[in-house]
C-alpha cells in the first residue's frame, strides 16, 4: 500500500483525474476535477494537493487538500476534500 502525491508523480495525473471524477464528479463538475488536478501539477503554492492510495497498482482511495471549502473562515486551512476508500478496502483504517 502506498500514498502517491499526484504533484510529485505527475504520470498518475490522468488516472487520478479519472478516479476523482468517477468517485465525486457530477456531469456539471467533470471538467472541474480535470482543471484543478492539471493546474496543481505546476502550481507555485503548496495547495491544492491530490493523493491516491494504491495497492498492487490498483487505486483504492483518494483525497485532496485544498485552501478552502467556500466558507467564511478562509484562514483555516488546509481542508481535506474528496476522501474516498473503495468499499472492499474499508474498515482497515486506511482513511487515517
Amino acid at each position: 500500500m502506498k500514498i502517491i502525491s499526484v504533484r510529485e508523480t505527475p504520470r498518475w495525473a490522468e488516472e487520478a483525474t479519472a478516479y476523482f471524477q468517477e468517485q465525486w464528479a457530477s456531469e456539471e463538475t467533470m471538467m472541474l476535477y480535470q482543471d484543478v488536478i492539471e493546474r496543481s501539477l505546476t502550481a507555485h503554492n503548496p495547495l491544492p494537493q491530490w493523493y491516491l492510495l494504491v495497492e498492487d497498482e490498483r487505486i483504492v482511495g483518494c483525497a485532496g487538500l485544498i485552501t478552502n471549502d467556500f466558507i467564511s473562515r478562509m484562514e483555516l486551512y488546509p481542508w481535506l476534500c474528496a476522501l474516498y476508500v473503495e468499499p472492499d478496502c474499508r474498515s482497515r483504517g486506511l482513511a487515517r
Side-chain angles (χ1 to χ4, degrees):
M1 189 79 58
K2 57 187 168 185
I3 297 172
I4 294 174
S5 164
V6 178
R7 183 181 286 187
E8 292 175 9
T9 318
R11 68 178 178 84
W12 283 88
E14 190 174 319
E15 287 180 78
T17 298
Y19 190 79
F20 276 91
Q21 287 172 327
E22 181 182 338
Q23 306 314 325
W24 292 106
S26 65
E27 188 174 315
E28 296 82 26
T29 62
M30 290 293 280
M31 294 308 294
L32 171 75
Y33 283 96
Q34 180 177 349
D35 186 52
V36 298
I37 291 171
E38 281 180 14
R39 290 177 183 266
S40 74
L41 299 177
T42 58
H44 296 291
N45 294 329
L47 297 175
Q49 291 280 343
W50 304 97
Y51 299 94
L52 296 173
L53 183 61
V54 177
E55 182 175 50
D56 299 324
E57 299 304 310
R58 173 185 167 220
I59 300 173
V60 297
C62 63
L65 293 176
I66 57 175
T67 55
N68 69 69
D69 198 18
F70 304 112
I71 52 118
S72 62
R73 299 290 308 271
M74 297 288 189
E75 77 278 10
L76 301 175
Y77 64 90
W79 286 90
L80 178 66
C81 71
L83 175 63
Y84 185 84
V85 176
E86 290 292 333
D88 65 312
C89 294
R90 293 179 186 166
S91 300
R92 293 169 46 188
L94 300 176
R96 283 186 271 143

